[in-house]
Amino acid sequence: MDMTLTNLVFKSMKKNIKHYYLYFFALIFSVTLCFSFVTIQYNPSVVKALAASGSATAAFESITYVLYFILIFFILYANQLFMKRRSKEIGLYQLIGMTKGLIFRLLLIENVVLFTLAVGIGMVLGFLTSRFFAMILMKLIKNDAIVSLSFSMTAFSKSLIIFALLLVVVMLQIFIMIRKASLLSLFNAAKKADERIKKFSIFHMVMGIIGIGLIAYGYYDSTRLFSVGGATTNNILINMLLILGSTIIGSYLFFRYSVALIMNLIRKSKKGYLKITDVLGVTTIMHRMKGNASSLTLITVLTGLAVGIMTLSYISYYSSESDARQLSPFDYILFDNKGIEFFDQLVAEGIEYEKTTFQISAVNVKMADLFNLDEKNAGYININQEAVSSVVSLSDYKKINPNAQLEEGETIITSYANVLSELLPLESKKKIQVKTSEKNYSLFIKEVREDEFFLSVLASAGSPVLIVTDELFDEIQKVQKPEITSQIGINLVNEKDRERAETLFKNLRERKAIEYDYQKTYKEYYDENIALNGMTIFVTGFLGLAFLLTTGSILYFKQMGEAEDERESYTILRKIGFSNGEIMRGIYVKQLFNFGMPLVIGILHSYFAVKSGWWLFGSEMATPMIIIIAIYVAMYTVFGILSGMYYKKVVKEAL
């Protein structure tokens, strides 16, 4: 009996190879991705490079479990689809007298063979590609260390345990499906997922409109998420949950009812004159929405999540240099003439530099005046609070903006932090009240600018800097005594001197010649940004690949199933005279929808999510988002082409 069962297993696998081949390769790719990622964690070069950052190690560990979760979800979902495809085959096994236990043993052997091959090949490929991915990581964090190919027994044993547990879970899923299924349900399993809408009612129409409305509300509310007084509530978390809930529910209702509503309107506009393209495209899409709504919603949400996370990560990485310049507008900054021996050391080393000196004072500004708020639209801002703003004279400001001009009683506001400027934008051409310890002043805001010339920690809570006339500055300076009264900004003339200059500055800081530990250099800020953001974009890139593999493969598997279900329809169409090309045109319309619609809506979800708060992550949104979207569109196009090729093969075999 064992020999007979073994023969049956291999004959069954050979017969189902057309269904299993992509599933098998997707499983190999998943194992490769996971094992490669785990192996990187234990690569000596990577461990050394990330040794200073405990958070990086924790991030690696966390993302590993997320990757495992995605892998398990993908395998279970795909296995469920393939079990439905094989339901008639399992039903036939029962008809010829095989017990459920014997059928389970057959499927157990099949899956053990499949998993063993996939895991074996995937782990070998994962080990070989781990060096390549490790080199990408080192490149992203701008570390020049040489990366060698390193095998980790810890990574191997951890991965082996996870994949073994995955096999157990898959077999448990198969066992439950076989145990619960009756003979009749096995023969009808493939039809259940594709239950048709018998009649398009008023209820369907209303729900379709509600679905579109919920998505529109989610998009609109996302544009007000961080606006003061504009959001639905004063609680950001509640607003985010409202947006998320309305968008997800709206997506489901859109696929479940709105698509059918739109397709029904298109069909009615034809007034009964339907082409073959309409029959295979519009009508098929409309009738299959009930069965496909849940999976398309899931794919849309996963796509939006992946594109959004990857875009925000890339925005942070792309903005590393500009963010560092906002934190330290000069290469080196000295306060109150402390550490001025730095200049003598630069001269002694033959390092050329340029310096800019600013005298600094401070005033108090009422928030209500500065941001034009009142109790009604203040939201979570205390309008009675006073902000401390630095003050610089016009003559000092002209060192970076020579064309600046001020009349008596005027001020220019500048150096306003990006995050706060998005939440609380400043307005020019209005009067504000400022005060010192002895006197109040009324100033007219002539202009609001974005010049950055102070070390970020100097400005109190990101308050803007006021530029005033020299006479007014002298008056303010006499009565105001801020902690820091002057700043010297130093820029190197030649980039090649930076390494030596960094060493000199750090030595001064270690010897406490520079009083404040927070006086970091531009390069230190830049290196910190690159290390953090490089690590972030690397791990999110892995997650993005996993999401892409999952969603693209699920769509492809479903299209394979639909192609097999419609094989008889293609035979009939061929017999009544339609050519392959005519049939394929209708199929291409359906493919464009099935792959394009979840992608387009997912991208829209991610666009509005990213747009609502991208400025929290960097200074540039358009370029990073376009690049990430282009990658996703390209990969979905590949899955769409593969699906079209499979349909073409089925249509050719229809006669």
Side-chain angles (χ1 to χ4, degrees), residues 339-357:
I340 56 174
E341 58 265 41
F342 182 55
F343 298 114
D344 296 331
Q345 294 175 0
L346 291 175
V347 172
E349 290 286 334
I351 299 174
E352 296 182 63
Y353 64 89
E354 297 171 347
K355 73 172 184 177
T356 309
T357 303

Side-chain angles (χ1 to χ4, degrees), residues 255-274:
F255 286 114
R256 177 67 178 82
Y257 299 106
S258 304
V259 170
L261 170 63
I262 295 167
M263 295 300 171
N264 195 55
L265 291 174
I266 293 173
R267 192 173 66 169
K268 283 184 179 296
S269 69
K270 303 284 185 178
K271 297 180 179 179
Y273 297 100
L274 298 180

Side-chain angles (χ1 to χ4, degrees), residues 205-432:
M205 186 182 298
V206 171
M207 295 304 290
I209 295 171
I210 290 174
I212 296 172
L214 283 173
I215 293 176
Y217 167 77
Y219 290 170
Y220 172 69
D221 212 32
S222 70
T223 62
R224 306 183 303 158
L225 180 61
F226 292 103
S227 62
V228 177
T232 304
T233 72
N234 288 337
N235 190 311
I236 291 180
L237 179 60
I238 292 176
N239 290 334
M240 292 175 70
L241 291 174
L242 282 172
I243 293 168
L244 184 65
S246 65
T247 305
I248 292 175
I249 295 171
S251 297
Y252 175 77
L253 294 178
F254 176 82
F255 286 114
R256 177 67 178 82
Y257 299 106
S258 304
V259 170
L261 170 63
I262 295 167
M263 295 300 171
N264 195 55
L265 291 174
I266 293 173
R267 192 173 66 169
K268 283 184 179 296
S269 69
K270 303 284 185 178
K271 297 180 179 179
Y273 297 100
L274 298 180
K275 300 178 182 177
I276 186 65
T277 306
D278 300 323
V279 174
L280 292 174
V282 175
T283 306
T284 307
I285 291 168
M286 184 179 73
H287 285 169
R288 284 192 179 272
M289 274 302 100
K290 185 172 184 179
N292 291 343
S294 298
S295 59
L296 290 178
T297 301
L298 177 64
I299 289 165
T300 298
V301 172
L302 288 177
T303 299
L305 181 65
V307 172
I309 291 174
M310 290 178 70
T311 300
L312 291 175
S313 300
Y314 192 29
I315 286 173
S316 297
Y317 187 78
Y318 191 86
S319 306
S320 293
E321 184 175 353
S322 59
D323 288 349
R325 275 299 176 201
Q326 285 182 2
L327 294 170
S328 181
F330 297 92
D331 293 341
Y332 307 95
I333 291 177
L334 300 174
F335 294 138
D336 294 339
N337 292 321
K338 294 176 182 178
I340 56 174
E341 58 265 41
F342 182 55
F343 298 114
D344 296 331
Q345 294 175 0
L346 291 175
V347 172
E349 290 286 334
I351 299 174
E352 296 182 63
Y353 64 89
E354 297 171 347
K355 73 172 184 177
T356 309
T357 303
F358 300 94
Q359 297 300 315
I360 306 166
S361 190
V363 292
N364 287 357
V365 185
K366 196 172 182 180
M367 296 283 281
D369 291 340
L370 195 60
F371 302 113
N372 198 26
L373 298 174
D374 55 35
E375 294 285 356
K376 189 175 181 180
N377 66 8
Y380 45 81
I381 301 296
N382 180 5
I383 65 170
N384 296 315
Q385 180 181 347
E386 288 188 347
V388 178
S389 290
S390 298
V391 179
V392 171
S393 68
L394 178 63
S395 57
D396 277 354
Y397 179 63
K398 280 190 173 185
K399 296 172 184 176
I400 63 168
N401 185 7
N403 297 322
Q405 297 291 335
L406 284 175
E407 300 292 336
E408 184 179 350
E410 291 183 338
T411 183
I412 295 173
I413 293 185
T414 186
S415 300
Y416 190 41
N418 279 343
V419 171
L420 282 176
S421 65
E422 293 287 342
L423 289 170
L424 299 168
L426 293 174
E427 297 178 4
S428 60
K429 310 303 180 184
K430 70 173 186 177
K431 285 192 174 184
I432 58 171

Side-chain angles (χ1 to χ4, degrees), residues 442-466:
S442 178
L443 297 176
F444 180 77
I445 302 176
K446 180 182 179 180
E447 188 179 2
V448 176
R449 294 180 57 86
E450 297 180 356
D451 305 299
E452 296 287 350
F453 53 92
F454 278 174
L455 190 68
S456 63
V457 293
L458 183 59
S460 302
S463 298
V465 175
L466 303 183

